[in-house]
Amino acid sequence: NLEFVGQTRTPPYVYGEVVLEGSATRLIHNIGGFDIAEAKTLLKIGMKVQAVWRPVAECKGTLDDIEYFKPVLD
């Protein structure tokens, strides 16, 4: 629950390092789509996530077009 200048989200939130398939580059982005109280038990290192895109009308061609990545639960 760390707040900082220029923050675009209100705590609590989760950020994670995402590696897109076929890439070796890590991307720091918001992980969401679940109850934050479940984060410690739900999220695992190496688990798959899926991009949740903003509506097309709101897209600007930037990384912010991805609203968050949601965990893929098998």
Side-chain angles (χ1 to χ4, degrees), residues 42-59:
L42 177 70
L43 302 177
K44 306 289 182 217
I45 293 173
M47 75 183 308
K48 291 189 178 211
V49 292
Q50 178 180 359
V52 175
W53 296 86
R54 295 190 186 281
V56 174
E58 296 177 19
C59 289

Side-chain angles (χ1 to χ4, degrees), residues 8-68:
T8 59
R9 299 187 187 276
T10 303
Y13 52 84
V14 175
Y15 278 119
E17 289 185 347
V18 177
V19 179
L20 301 177
E21 287 185 21
S23 172
T25 303
R26 295 174 188 262
L27 172 71
I28 306 293
H29 209 292
N30 188 49
I31 310 297
F34 56 90
D35 182 349
I36 196 75
E38 298 176 8
K40 287 184 180 181
T41 56
L42 177 70
L43 302 177
K44 306 289 182 217
I45 293 173
M47 75 183 308
K48 291 189 178 211
V49 292
Q50 178 180 359
V52 175
W53 296 86
R54 295 190 186 281
V56 174
E58 296 177 19
C59 289
K60 299 177 183 173
T62 70
L63 188 56
D64 288 331
D65 291 347
I66 300 173
E67 191 168 347
Y68 59 87

